[in-house]
Amino acid sequence: MSRATHVNGTATIATVTDMEPMLRQLVVQHKTDNGLPAHCSDAELQAAASRFVSDFDQSRAEYLVEAKRQIAQGLMDGVSLAGMELTRDHLLFISSTTFRFDDVNKLKAIVFTQVAGGGDGAALKPFESFRIEQGKGKLVVEGAPPAFGAATAAAPAEVLERNKVSFALELPLQPVEHNATQAEGQRLRWEYNLARLSDPGQQPPVMRATFSTAQ
């Protein structure tokens, strides 16, 4: 098989982040720093959550402008930011970032800056491991999600179970075989919780799809 050329498309990375554990930790840390018992009551959590979501709702539009600027700066020619959304369901923060590329080989070079939902702004190449080959009337895309082990090492397992990340790929080709968790026409989507991606005892999952290039 040969290197695939001139197949455009879009790629999306989305996250679901439960902010409750972080807020509980902040309340406990604040009380500990002030010599108080290391405990977070429901009332204290509710007060912290109210302040947090109020600040978020007020700064959301400004944040999106800055986040889009940062992400756009790290993109190569032929790759653009097609859309970015950030919503919340109480303390569940949902982000979705979509990139458009003019050549599927550029998928590997897409840089995603995770700042939504309390992210630290670190650069991530979510599709860096992907292998893209074409031949005999088909195009094969295969790769593993990025490693999250270091970033999630201190998080309890129940927190990692609630936090999710998904990757979606849409090409102007018909998928004929794949292991995506969801398929809608030409759009394939793989979703994992961070417990699965952070478990050193398991092999990383492989995202795999074969598209027909026959006319």
Side-chain angles (χ1 to χ4, degrees):
M1 298 183 76
S2 61
R3 174 184 167 93
T5 57
H6 305 302
V7 177
N8 59 19
T10 63
T12 301
I13 179 170
T15 60
V16 177
T17 307
D18 184 357
M19 301 302 293
E20 179 180 324
M22 183 198 75
L23 291 175
R24 284 189 181 276
Q25 183 178 8
L26 289 175
V27 170
V28 169
Q29 185 62 53
H30 177 74
K31 294 178 70 174
T32 301
D33 291 344
N34 288 276
L36 299 173
H39 170 71
C40 177
S41 68
D42 290 343
E44 289 169 328
L45 175 62
Q46 184 175 357
S50 295
R51 292 190 297 269
F52 184 82
V53 299
S54 177
D55 290 344
F56 169 81
D57 291 344
Q58 292 179 27
S59 61
R60 174 180 172 276
E62 181 179 347
Y63 159 78
L64 281 173
V65 170
E66 177 60 19
K68 290 177 181 178
R69 185 191 66 81
Q70 289 186 30
I71 292 174
Q73 284 182 339
L75 299 178
M76 67 185 302
D77 289 343
V79 179
S80 61
L81 182 62
M84 184 176 186
E85 297 179 357
L86 179 59
T87 59
R88 69 173 181 86
D89 180 2
H90 189 45
L91 292 179
L92 279 183
F93 283 67
I94 303 114
S95 72
S96 177
T97 306
T98 299
F99 302 90
R100 181 175 290 110
F101 48 84
D102 62 6
D103 180 348
V104 69
N105 292 290
K106 296 178 181 179
L107 188 66
K108 296 163 63 73
I110 288 177
V111 178
F112 171 70
T113 305
Q114 171 60 25
V115 284
D120 59 6
L124 179 73
K125 290 185 176 181
F127 306 100
E128 187 174 25
S129 73
F130 273 48
R131 175 179 64 87
I132 302 163
E133 296 182 343
Q134 184 175 356
K136 297 183 179 179
K138 64 182 180 180
L139 183 149
V140 176
V141 179
E142 181 178 285
F148 287 86
T152 59
E158 60 270 20
V159 173
L160 297 180
E161 288 284 350
R162 294 198 296 267
N163 291 348
K164 299 178 181 179
V165 61
S166 67
F167 307 88
L169 179 65
E170 183 170 0
L171 304 179
L173 302 171
Q174 185 62 38
V176 294
E177 184 179 2
H178 63 82
N179 65 349
T181 53
Q182 183 180 23
E184 297 178 359
Q186 296 172 323
R187 187 175 190 269
L188 302 177
R189 180 172 173 267
W190 294 262
E191 181 178 277
Y192 308 97
N193 62 44
L194 290 189
R196 172 67 180 88
L197 299 184
S198 306
D199 187 348
Q202 294 192 57
Q203 290 293 325
V206 175
M207 297 178 281
R208 183 183 301 108
T210 300
F211 299 85
S212 173
T213 58
Q215 298 297 322

